[in-house]
Structures are given as C-alpha cells and as structure tokens.
C-alpha cells in the first residue's frame, strides 16, 4: 500500500535522494571506476522505493512477505547500495569499499554477498525473466507481495527481454511491475542512434501490458504511478520512467560518455559542490 505524499514527506525524500547522489559520487571516486550517469539519474526512484513504496524490513531482509525489487541493469548498483545503506541494510562506511577485492559491494550486485538483494545481475536482459519467475511463484503460492523490476532502456535491445515480455503478458502477471529507466543513453551513444526503441509504449501494449509514462525524476509523479498500478488488474504493468542521466551534476547530464565513467578528484569536487547547492534549494523550497 502506497500512502499519500504530504509536503514534509516529499521534501524528506528529495533530500534523501540528493544525499544518495553525493554518496554515489564519493563511492565512484574512491573506486576509480563505475557508472555515474544512470546511478545519479535513478536516485529519485530508488529513494521512493526504499523509503516510501516497498514493504520491506532491513532488520529482517528475508522476510517472506516482503516486496521484491530486482535490478536488471546491475551496473547502476551504486545508487542501490547507497540507498540500501541509508535504509539500514549495512553501514554507510562500507560504501567506500565499492568494487574492491573481497568487498560485498561488487560492480554488479551479488545476491549471496549482501542481505537484501534478490538476484545476481550482470548480463543485461535477464532481470525481467528473473522477476517473472518471482511474480509467478507468488501467484502459485497465493502470496500478496508485489514484484518490481528495474531495467535500462538499452537492454530493450536484447532478444530475451521480449521473450520475457510475451510470457508475462500471456500469463497476466498483474503482480509484476517493470520500471524502465528511459534515459536515452547507453555505452555506445544515444539509444535512438544505436537501436531505435520507439514507440516503446506501443510495443508493450501490443504484448498485453498496461503502460504508464512518468517523469522519473519527479518523486510525486512516480509514487502516483505506483499507486495507480495497485488498481490495475489482469495485466503486468510497465512504467516508462523518463530520467535525466547524471541528474544533479550539470557536466554529466544527458552525456552518454558518463554512462560507464567515474569522476576524477576535480570532477568529484565540482559535482559535490553542485549537489550541495541543490540540497540548499530543496531545503529552502
């Protein structure tokens, strides 16, 4: 059940998302590698999930009635790690171990390494199929938890994505919600140059899915979309979330070069300065 957002709660979520962005910059600087653009762009959505939408308990990560959140595009795990740490799954200080030898925080999530992860990800295009298995199991077991899966727009290029989409539509998995990070970039360039995706909405509708489109950097709009999903029956739902890659850091925004690039010391210093300025604007709004 997603509760209404009042002004106080919304400001709290926006501040948390901004704090998560700062943690991402610090993590990537320490690691010297990783994915900046998508991690920053997805901060609002991950914050909304962990602090407002999901039914979960960091003290009991294997709680059987928890909602499941599966990350298909595992390379944006820095933002997931940041928000999970802020939620209490592990100490915030551990974030600085990202991508280091023997760290629990690998460059793609590893399910058995860290409590609160549902799957291991790496090869793109697999997460939707994994989520379908989880959602189908819930139906068969007559469980009420919901299954959410986050996927990139670039991995819509993968053939196995569409096999999964057909299966979910055929089996009317109404307890499954897919969130596509529609940021229009992938490692080789802009999605519509690499492999045009539009009309993405029409394609999912043709495969018997409910389709919603939102501004993924507007927490209120995203929460409203999730709330409306609870009223949709008979079909799986996809939320096409239009996000700004590199959100909050001007020299990263909408630049595909930052898809798989970490900031150096000077870039990180400037990025953190801009995010502190953004924090001030949120506080004074």
């Amino acid at each position: 059940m997603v509760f209404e957002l009042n002004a106080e709660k919304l400001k709290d979520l926006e501040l948390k998302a901004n704090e998560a962005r700062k943690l991402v910059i610090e993590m990537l600087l320490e690691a010297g590698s990783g994915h900046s653009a998508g991690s920053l762009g997805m901060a609002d959505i991950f914050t909304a999930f962990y602090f407002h939408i999901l039914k979960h308990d960091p003290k009991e990560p294997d709680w059987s009635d928890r909602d499941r959140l599966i990350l298909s595009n595992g390379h944006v795990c820095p933002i997931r790690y940041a928000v999970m740490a802020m939620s209490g799954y592990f100490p915030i200080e551990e974030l600085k171990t990202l991508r280091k030898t023997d760290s629990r925080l690998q460059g793609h999530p590893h399910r058995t390494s860290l409590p609160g992860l549902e799957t291991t990800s790496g090869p793109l295009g697999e997460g939707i199929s994994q989520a379908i298995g989880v959602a189908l199991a819930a139906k068969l077991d007559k469980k009420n938890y919901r299954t959410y899966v986050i996927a990139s727009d670039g991995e819509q290029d993968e053939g196995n994505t569409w096999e999964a989409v057909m299966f979910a539509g055929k089996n009317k998995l109404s307890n499954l919600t897919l969130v596509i990070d529609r940021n229009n970039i992938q490692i080789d360039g802009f999605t519509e140059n690499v492999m045009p995706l539009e009309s993405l909405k029409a394609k999912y509708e043709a495969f018997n899915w409910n389709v919603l489109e939102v501004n993924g950097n507007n927490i209120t709009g995203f929460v409203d979309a999730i709330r409306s999903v609870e009223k949709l029956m008979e079909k799986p739902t996809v939320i096409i979330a239009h996000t700004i890659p590199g959100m909050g850091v001007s020299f990263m925004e909408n630049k595909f070069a930052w898809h798989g690039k970490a900031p150096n010391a000077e870039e990180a210093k400037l990025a953190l300065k801009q995010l502190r300025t953004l924090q001030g604007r949120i506080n004074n709004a």
Side-chain angles (χ1 to χ4, degrees):
M1 179 66 180
V2 181
F3 299 100
E4 295 287 339
L5 270 179
N6 57 36
E8 182 179 0
K9 177 66 174 179
L10 176 59
K11 177 178 282 192
D12 179 64
L13 291 175
E14 289 175 342
L15 288 170
K16 281 184 167 63
N18 195 64
E19 179 62 27
R21 287 185 173 99
K22 290 191 289 183
L23 290 171
V24 165
I25 294 297
E26 293 170 353
M27 293 161 64
L28 294 175
L29 174 63
E30 180 72 22
S33 64
H35 293 72
S36 299
S39 297
L40 295 173
M42 288 296 287
D44 300 296
I45 285 176
F46 272 101
T47 300
F49 267 128
Y50 276 95
F51 288 100
H52 191 69
I53 295 167
L54 289 178
K55 193 171 57 173
H56 71 117
D57 184 357
K59 295 180 180 178
E60 192 179 350
D62 295 325
W63 174 39
S64 61
D65 290 328
R66 71 193 182 279
D67 290 334
R68 273 63 167 176
L69 178 61
I70 291 166
L71 178 61
S72 184
N73 52 325
H75 53 270
V76 302
C77 61
I79 188 59
R80 183 172 198 173
Y81 293 154
V83 176
M84 286 178 69
M86 291 168 64
S87 301
Y89 280 91
F90 59 91
I92 285 180
E93 294 75 22
E94 192 173 345
L95 292 173
K96 291 292 184 71
T97 70
L98 176 71
R99 289 178 167 244
K100 295 188 184 301
T101 303
D102 297 326
S103 171
R104 297 193 295 175
L105 311 182
Q106 288 301 304
H108 286 77
H110 185 231
R111 185 183 65 83
T112 59
S113 296
L114 194 68
L117 296 179
E118 304 293 347
T119 60
T120 297
S121 63
L124 291 172
E126 294 184 353
I128 301 174
S129 294
Q130 293 169 331
I132 284 170
V134 174
L136 183 59
K139 290 273 191 183
L140 294 173
D141 293 340
K142 295 180 169 51
K143 294 287 188 178
N144 292 323
Y145 64 80
R146 295 199 63 85
T147 300
Y148 300 97
V149 53
I150 293 172
S152 63
D153 50 5
E155 65 188 305
Q156 306 303 302
D157 298 350
E158 299 281 354
N160 58 348
T161 292
W162 298 100
E163 295 176 36
V165 169
M166 283 192 291
F167 183 92
K170 185 249 183 191
N171 287 279
K172 300 179 179 179
L173 296 181
S174 57
N175 60 340
L176 174 68
T177 301
L178 163 64
V179 179
I180 296 177
D181 178 17
R182 188 69 172 110
N183 67 9
N184 298 290
I185 68 166
Q186 54 194 100
I187 199 164
D188 295 330
F190 295 105
T191 58
E192 299 312 287
N193 293 332
V194 176
M195 183 62 70
L197 297 175
E198 296 300 336
S199 170
L200 200 53
K201 179 177 186 290
K203 288 171 183 172
Y204 271 87
E205 287 176 337
F207 286 106
N208 200 36
W209 284 59
N210 299 307
V211 182
L212 303 172
E213 292 199 62
V214 300
N215 176 350
N217 296 123
N218 182 302
I219 292 175
T220 299
F222 182 71
V223 169
D224 286 346
I226 292 289
R227 184 186 299 116
S228 71
V229 170
E230 296 178 351
K231 302 173 185 177
L232 298 174
M233 307 296 289
E234 300 301 326
K235 296 179 182 180
T237 297
V238 56
I239 298 174
I240 300 174
H242 297 272
T243 66
I244 297 174
M247 177 70 177
V249 179
S250 63
F251 59 88
M252 294 184 183
E253 289 185 350
N254 296 308
K255 304 289 197 308
F256 69 81
W258 285 98
H259 171 91
K261 179 183 174 183
N264 61 31
E266 284 302 312
E267 291 164 336
K269 182 179 179 180
L270 178 56
L272 291 170
K273 180 180 178 181
Q274 292 186 7
L275 291 170
R276 285 192 292 269
T277 299
L278 179 57
Q279 179 178 334
R281 289 203 299 267
I282 296 169
N283 271 317
N284 294 327

